[in-house]
Amino acid sequence: MSADTSASPPVHIRIENGPDFVFGPHEDALLRGALRAGLAFPYECGVGGCGACRFELLEGEMQTLWETAPGLSDRDRKRGKRLACQSRPLGDCRIRVRLGPDTDVPADSPQRSRAVLTGRRSVGGDMLELSLRVEGMPAFKAGQFALLYPPGVTGARAYSMSNLDAGDGDWRFIVRRTPGGRGSTTLCDGVAVGERIDVDGPFGHAWLRPGVRDVVCVAGGSGLGPMLSVARGVLAEDSARRVHLLLGLRSEAELGAAAELQALAHERLTATVVLSAPVDPSAWSGAIGFVHTEVERALAPGLDRFDFYFAGPPPMIDAMQDLLMVRHRVPFEQIRFDRYV
Ligand SMILES: Cc1cc2nc3c(=O)[nH]c(=O)nc-3n(C[C@H](O)[C@H](O)[C@H](O)COP(=O)(O)OP(=O)(O)OC[C@H]3O[C@@H](n4cnc5c(N)ncnc54)[C@H](O)[C@@H]3O)c2cc1C
Ligand code: FES
């Protein structure tokens, strides 16, 4: 994804039974070109992990940016499927993909820009808050994410904004330093305050919608970032809806993150921290277990009276989906999430 695209002429992409669009000379991937052209191209993660952006190339040539991206299975590859977030057209192409509804088209197209790292602070355990100063980017909605391009690392990484967009170019992210992870360790340890980082966004569908139902925000680890943003969004509204914010952490070592919840204190907010593996259960007086279990214990029955937002690692997302969709039959349109693939 770090390919130099500066010399490429614009190319035309024809979508079978759909619109045509021009893929600009500075785009790095089909997906981002299509989104910038205002199309409802399907996607979730934007970084090769989920498979939501699969399409078929009918004519033309494309470069595959990440050959082994986990978003495609061997069967997908044998059937000629490709990932739009990992494909770069090399000339005019014709493709087959089913676009989403027009309601999926963001009012403002994402933009790629250069940001400056303006601050970094510990949030507890292996999590840091990074502050970026962006320029020329469209406003983001609470719950959306951006793609950051850590210097010297192949490929973009997705990180969710944790603040609200105040129109001043201040975008904040809570990043967990993943052991052995090249993108997150570069962002946490390898970029100095004052250095520049390429950023593209905003992206994502799990943004806060207006509504009348109370809101449940469930965060696993660094899923805290977007859930803080969504909670802040609800609490900033002139409305009566309440927020139940549940944060799942592993052990006492990560409890620094609980201070982020305390800082939100509001009469319409209920905040709960759940530890899945406390080192000393007798010293921890709060909830113990997996965070989805606490959602059910604290709020069921009648989970369909809430709108749900959640973000975190795949096992937590799977457990939340099973809880809400299968066991408690919460309508699909009341559920929005980001899976940290
Ligand atoms: C929508 C979304 C929002 C997220 N928000 C957050 C957040 O707010 N905070 C947070 O800490 N984490 C978040 N994540 C997870 C984050 O994007 C990274 O996966 C995580 O930080 C580990 O990255 P790493 O580079 O350290 O690990 P690595 O193991 O080096 O890389 C992990 C990911 O990077 C991408 N990648 C790896 N190699 C390549 C390659 N060669 N080419 C292209 N892409 C590659 C893939 O997506 C891969 O899954 C989010 C993920 C998603 C999908
Ligand atoms: S959006 Fe392309 S694999 Fe997830």
Side-chain angles (χ1 to χ4, degrees), residues 109-131:
S109 300
Q111 295 297 327
R112 183 159 170 169
S113 178
R114 300 213 86 187
V116 177
L117 182 67
T118 54
R120 186 194 265 128
R121 73 176 170 91
S122 172
V123 170
D126 47 11
M127 289 191 272
L128 298 181
E129 181 195 72
L130 305 185
S131 303

Side-chain angles (χ1 to χ4, degrees), residues 54 96 105-106 163 168 178-179 215 222 317:
R54 271 176 300 206
R96 179 181 293 145
V105 179
N163 58 334
D168 57 0
T178 306
V215 171
S222 57
I317 302 298

Side-chain angles (χ1 to χ4, degrees), residues 47 66 157-160 174-176 181-184 222 339-340:
V47 288
W66 186 15
R157 300 293 188 270
Y159 294 100
S160 312
I174 292 181
V175 177
R176 180 192 282 279
R182 291 190 310 118
S184 61
S222 57
R339 185 188 298 270
Y340 285 6

Side-chain angles (χ1 to χ4, degrees), residues 307-323:
D307 288 333
F308 284 87
Y309 295 83
F310 44 100
M316 186 205 102
I317 302 298
D318 291 345
M320 283 296 299
Q321 284 182 302
D322 181 62
L323 173 76

Side-chain angles (χ1 to χ4, degrees), residues 33-243:
L35 295 177
R36 256 186 275 286
L39 301 185
F41 209 103
Y43 77 100
E44 286 178 15
C45 71
V47 288
C50 73
C53 64
R54 271 176 300 206
F55 73 100
E56 285 172 68
L57 178 61
L58 303 176
E59 280 175 46
E61 216 185 322
M62 292 213 192
Q63 174 191 6
T64 298
L65 303 173
W66 186 15
E67 293 285 351
T68 54
L72 283 183
S73 63
D74 289 344
R75 186 156 173 264
D76 288 329
R77 288 191 171 88
K78 279 189 194 128
R79 294 170 65 201
K81 303 278 186 192
R82 294 164 183 256
L83 297 175
C85 66
Q86 300 299 331
S87 299
R88 183 166 160 256
L90 298 176
D92 293 352
C93 291
R94 194 163 67 88
I95 64 171
R96 179 181 293 145
V97 66
R98 183 186 296 215
L99 297 180
D102 283 347
T103 48
D104 279 2
V105 179
D108 292 311
S109 300
Q111 295 297 327
R112 183 159 170 169
S113 178
R114 300 213 86 187
V116 177
L117 182 67
T118 54
R120 186 194 265 128
R121 73 176 170 91
S122 172
V123 170
D126 47 11
M127 289 191 272
L128 298 181
E129 181 195 72
L130 305 185
S131 303
L132 297 189
R133 173 79 51 202
V134 307
E135 273 180 31
M137 308 279 290
F140 68 83
K141 298 181 190 336
Q144 286 196 294
F145 68 90
L147 296 180
L148 304 189
Y149 293 78
V153 175
T154 306
R157 300 293 188 270
Y159 294 100
S160 312
M161 284 69 84
S162 60
N163 58 334
L164 290 181
D165 194 322
D168 57 0
D170 181 26
W171 290 26
R172 298 190 181 197
F173 304 85
I174 292 181
V175 177
R176 180 192 282 279
R177 190 188 282 108
T178 306
R182 291 190 310 118
S184 61
T185 48
T186 300
L187 290 171
C188 291
D189 306 320
V191 185
V193 169
E195 274 190 57
R196 292 185 174 273
I197 300 174
D198 278 8
V199 56
D200 199 346
F203 297 102
H205 308 297
W207 44 270
L208 174 65
R209 306 310 200 268
V212 292
R213 281 181 284 271
D214 288 350
V215 171
V216 180
C217 297
V218 185
S222 57
L224 174 61
M227 294 304 100
L228 284 174
S229 183
V230 169
R232 288 183 166 118
V234 179
L235 298 176
E237 290 173 352
D238 183 16
S239 86
R241 57 178 177 164
R242 299 185 56 82
V243 184

